[in-house]
Amino acid sequence: MKKNNYIEPLTWLRGIAALFVIFSHSLRASNVSYSAGDTPADVGVFRALDLGDMGVTLFFVLSGLTLYLSNGAIATARDAMGFYIKRFLRIWPAFAVALLAYIAFNTYFKTQYHGPENYWIGQHVRPFSIEDIVRYLTLVFNFTGPTGLFSGALWTLPVEFQYYLAFPVALWLAAKFGPVALVVLSGVYLALGNFAFIPQSGQSMFQMAYSFFGGIFIGITMQNRQFRVHWLLTVCVSIMLITLVSLVQNKWVQLPDLPFIRSDRNLLILSSLAIVLLLFKSDFSMTPGWARRILKKYGDISYSTYLFHQLFVGATVLLFIKFNITGNIKPWLVLGVTVGGTYFVASWSYRYIERPCMEYARGLVAKKAAV
């Protein structure tokens, strides 16, 4: 299970988080009336599994923890540069290909779609300029705007990369002042997110930063601790926390009106931190081989799944319109098309874009280190 700081269940969780996002966006696409006789879908299981925000938060926590496990020894400027090279080649090439795919798809989508433009459909029909494409490719659009172009899911990419920029600094602070420095750094980010000079589209990077720094904190404080959590306890507590998040987000349960506690975002982050910590310290070696292979596969392709899935959600909307598909069948159809289609495209992307770029980055960094 654990070799060279690789924790397989953390990869599984990435795949589960990606499926949360797909469920959420399938619901969004189904909650729109595309014709006069159409009604928004209302399927309880989809509302209960509307956990896209939790999926994103889990990604941030997992990113902080796994980056610490694989890059926690950064000590020099050369180490930091090697880290940035590997991270850039890890996320940017697949992102650039996905962005080009969305530009091509949205150009076609505009010719076929003539229904209402709401916040979900807007990502496929809003006009854009060459300057907008440059802002997206340089991963600064969460501060420069405009947001919500091409694919609404892309908003996390600049946030993730901005956390990468802070990663070596966070490690240095933790090494010099102890893990408590990460708590202070998280507080600083939270405070900055409330300043008026920060554009609203850029506030999420600051307000969610303690998910990423919290992942690093888990790695620093728990990596060498020998205690283990029983897998059944991990599963039960994780299901309870996910259920609580679902109940709160659907307004079926109200959080106490107390500072910090009343925030849905804080519930998401704290729950995600707890789930990742439990999974990190649990032994899942008894998991059947077939289940491990499936979970690992979805974990490996989770990044490309996240990048490309909105293409298939949008394509299913066009099917709704062409074949006059209405009512509660819509979320089931969009989910089936999206999961199936994304699996093949994400597998291709992982095999021919992500993995070759990761291998090239490792070789490049090793070559520079040998000079």
Side-chain angles (χ1 to χ4, degrees):
M1 293 285 286
K2 181 173 179 178
K3 184 178 179 181
N4 296 329
N5 293 326
Y6 174 71
I7 312 295
E8 190 173 278
L10 299 181
T11 299
W12 303 350
L13 188 57
R14 286 187 187 277
I16 294 169
L19 289 175
F20 283 169
V21 174
I22 288 178
F23 262 92
S24 184
H25 289 161
S26 296
L27 179 64
R28 297 292 177 275
S30 305
N31 280 346
V32 178
S33 297
Y34 297 105
S35 63
D38 191 10
T39 56
D42 185 16
V43 180
V45 67
F46 276 84
R47 285 189 289 128
L49 292 173
D50 185 7
L51 296 164
D53 289 342
M54 188 169 200
V56 168
T57 309
L58 284 168
F59 278 131
F60 288 149
V61 177
L62 286 165
S63 183
L65 173 56
T66 56
L67 284 181
Y68 174 77
L69 295 177
S70 58
N71 298 275
I74 291 177
T76 66
R78 174 175 284 189
D79 293 338
M81 183 56 64
F83 167 77
Y84 290 138
I85 290 172
K86 288 189 291 185
R87 284 293 93 194
F88 178 80
L89 289 173
R90 175 68 183 88
I91 71 166
W92 193 85
F95 162 66
V97 172
L99 184 63
L100 292 175
Y102 280 109
I103 291 171
F105 174 77
N106 291 355
T107 301
Y108 173 75
F109 189 96
K110 291 176 187 177
T111 68
Q112 302 298 311
Y113 181 80
H114 306 290
E117 179 182 335
N118 65 6
Y119 76 98
W120 188 85
I121 291 296
Q123 65 189 322
H124 293 303
V125 299
R126 291 190 188 105
F128 57 86
S129 64
I130 296 296
E131 290 80 6
D132 294 332
I133 296 175
V134 172
R135 293 186 186 102
Y136 272 69
L137 287 173
T138 53
L139 296 172
V140 297
F141 62 90
N142 61 324
F143 286 104
T144 65
T147 58
L149 295 181
F150 312 116
S151 167
L154 299 181
W155 74 268
T156 65
L157 272 295
V159 174
E160 179 87 1
F161 198 75
Q162 286 148 18
Y163 292 159
Y164 296 161
L165 295 176
F167 180 72
V169 176
L171 289 185
W172 179 82
L173 289 171
K176 189 171 182 63
F177 301 106
V180 70
L182 297 172
V183 178
V184 175
L185 185 61
S186 297
V188 170
Y189 268 72
L190 277 173
L192 287 172
N194 293 320
F195 279 98
F197 65 85
I198 302 293
Q200 187 173 3
S201 58
Q203 289 175 359
S204 291
M205 191 275 286
F206 292 99
Q207 294 169 349
M208 299 191 70
Y210 79 92
S211 61
F212 179 78
F213 296 133
I216 302 173
F217 184 91
I218 290 172
I220 291 175
T221 57
M222 295 295 171
Q223 183 180 21
N224 296 319
R225 295 186 182 272
Q226 299 304 311
F227 77 90
R228 307 298 292 174
V229 180
H230 195 281
W231 69 269
L232 185 58
L233 177 62
T234 293
V235 171
C236 290
V237 172
S238 298
I239 291 174
M240 289 172 59
L241 289 172
I242 291 169
T243 301
L244 175 61
V245 168
S246 176
L247 291 172
V248 169
Q249 291 199 332
N250 280 286
K251 308 302 180 186
W252 294 327
V253 169
Q254 198 76 24
L255 288 173
D257 189 18
L258 298 171
F260 193 79
I261 296 175
R262 61 174 168 250
S263 167
D264 288 5
R265 175 182 283 119
N266 290 333
L267 173 65
L268 281 171
I269 295 175
L270 293 175
S271 298
S272 298
L273 286 167
I275 290 170
V276 170
L277 171 59
L278 288 169
L279 215 66
F280 180 41
K281 302 306 294 185
S282 297
D283 181 6
F284 283 88
S285 58
M286 77 298 298
T287 305
W290 63 267
R292 292 175 63 176
R293 287 190 294 273
I294 292 173
L295 289 165
K296 185 178 185 303
K297 174 67 174 181
Y298 271 96
D300 286 341
I301 67 173
S302 60
Y303 176 53
S304 284
T305 296
Y306 184 83
L307 286 177
F308 289 99
H309 74 277
Q310 291 273 39
L311 291 172
F312 294 94
V313 176
T316 312
V317 167
L318 296 182
L319 292 178
F320 293 162
I321 297 169
K322 182 175 178 61
F323 296 104
N324 195 30
I325 298 170
T326 63
N328 286 347
I329 193 176
K330 291 191 295 184
W332 298 105
L333 181 60
V334 69
L335 180 65
V337 170
T338 302
V339 171
T342 304
Y343 175 82
F344 289 104
V345 171
S347 297
W348 176 90
S349 176
Y350 180 76
R351 182 175 181 179
Y352 294 107
I353 302 174
E354 290 186 60
R355 195 163 61 188
C357 287
M358 288 188 285
E359 292 171 355
Y360 175 74
R362 284 193 291 265
L364 182 62
V365 171
K367 185 182 297 185
K368 288 183 176 294
V371 174

